[in-house]
Amino acid sequence: MAGSHVGGSGASGAGALGRALAGGLVMATALGVGTGLGPALADAVGASGLVARLVPAALVTALALSLVALAHRGRPFRRLGFGGPGASAVAFLAGATVTAMAAALVLGAATAGGLLRWSDPDPGALAGFLASNAVVALLLEALPEETTLRGYAWMSLRSRFGGKGTALATTAVFLLVPGVSTVVAAGAARLVGRDAGPIGVAPGGQDPVDYLVLIVVFGLTLVAARTALARAPLWTSIGVHLTFLTVNRIALEGDGRHAGWYVEHGAGTAGLLVPVYLLLVAGVFALWGRRIRRRRREGAAHAVDLPRPGAVGAVR
């Protein structure tokens, strides 16, 4: 079956690649416009605190989903990998649980080995951070990025290419989004008379090579999560994405974000351990998906071997 995705005319392959790139461009545009114009819009309506953070996030999601709906030509979003409420909740919890457990195992082992030392937790501040971060991170990054990239871009590529090629190409498109979004954000900020932020492939203060390596590992992990479960698979990758952001912002940036808990000593080591727990997540979902596909094949083979009703009597 995989060969059927590869063969055919070059134009169709080029069209699939073009649609995938369009998905990346949609995300970069939405993220750039949201982060460039969102703060000005929040100031214009007098928003502050959490509401001021929600304005850019909501703008990113609104733009990304609207543009994907236009590119998807009004087809149901379920075809991108969304499912019904029940299946979506199960898939989201699967993604979130596997990621949280992998992070706890790796970071916990490092803590037990004396590589990391944590601050004393502030339960109230931590609970407030978890609630606010969940909403902002979902709207600013997890939902729009998974819809545009592991949803629209992945679906466009998978209709033409095999699984490995689709995974690599989707991740390559993912790599382009941060840099392009900074260009869009700078232009949008200048339109409203605000100072443009830095333009580059990585967020300010991060090493570009380290960041791109992390994006590659993260992108492949998200593809592994997206392809593991058959029902509402996009919600699995959304669960992974949101939990990844939450864990990292607590462990690596918790002090600056007033999260109520953070790595007090060994933050650099914790950063190096992030790809380790991501690879563990990817491995779990790769094995999970393989097991599901094997059971499906065995079930199909068993159904073929079963005699049809009346078949024995007909032979007689």
Side-chain angles (χ1 to χ4, degrees), residues 112-230:
L115 298 176
L116 306 178
R117 193 172 78 194
W118 296 75
S119 68
D120 293 330
D122 181 339
L126 180 60
F129 172 79
L130 289 173
S132 61
N133 179 74
V135 179
V136 174
L138 178 69
L139 295 176
L140 184 66
E141 295 156 287
L143 177 58
E145 285 186 6
E146 297 313 303
T147 303
T148 55
L149 299 171
R150 265 65 59 177
Y152 183 75
W154 186 91
M155 182 201 70
S156 300
L157 292 163
R158 193 66 183 93
S159 68
R160 193 64 198 152
F161 300 101
K164 291 181 180 178
T166 298
L168 292 173
T170 302
T171 304
V173 173
F174 188 29
L175 282 170
L176 300 175
V177 171
V180 176
S181 70
T182 62
V183 176
V184 176
R190 288 194 179 99
L191 283 177
V192 293
R194 299 177 73 93
D195 292 336
I199 295 176
V201 298
Q206 295 197 35
D207 180 82
V209 175
D210 292 346
Y211 181 76
L212 291 178
V213 169
L214 177 60
I215 287 294
V216 170
V217 176
F218 186 37
L220 292 174
T221 300
L222 290 167
V223 170
R226 191 251 184 269
T227 56
L229 306 183

Side-chain angles (χ1 to χ4, degrees), residues 26-39 56 59-60 63 181 184-186 188-189:
V26 164
M27 183 59 219
T29 301
L31 184 60
V33 171
T35 55
L37 296 183
L59 184 57
V60 171
L63 283 173
S181 70
V184 176

Side-chain angles (χ1 to χ4, degrees), residues 79-90:
R79 294 184 60 179
L80 297 178
F82 291 101
S88 299
V90 171

Side-chain angles (χ1 to χ4, degrees), residues 32 69 168 190 202 216 244 246 250 259 261 264 278-279 290 296:
L168 292 173
R190 288 194 179 99
V216 170
F244 164 84
T246 303
I250 291 174
W261 197 32
E264 199 168 28
L278 282 177
L279 289 172
R290 184 179 301 175
R296 192 180 303 143

Side-chain angles (χ1 to χ4, degrees), residues 287-300:
L287 292 174
W288 193 349
R290 184 179 301 175
R291 183 179 182 184
I292 290 174
R293 288 188 290 272
R294 184 175 66 247
R295 285 185 173 181
R296 192 180 303 143
R297 287 193 299 268
E298 291 172 352

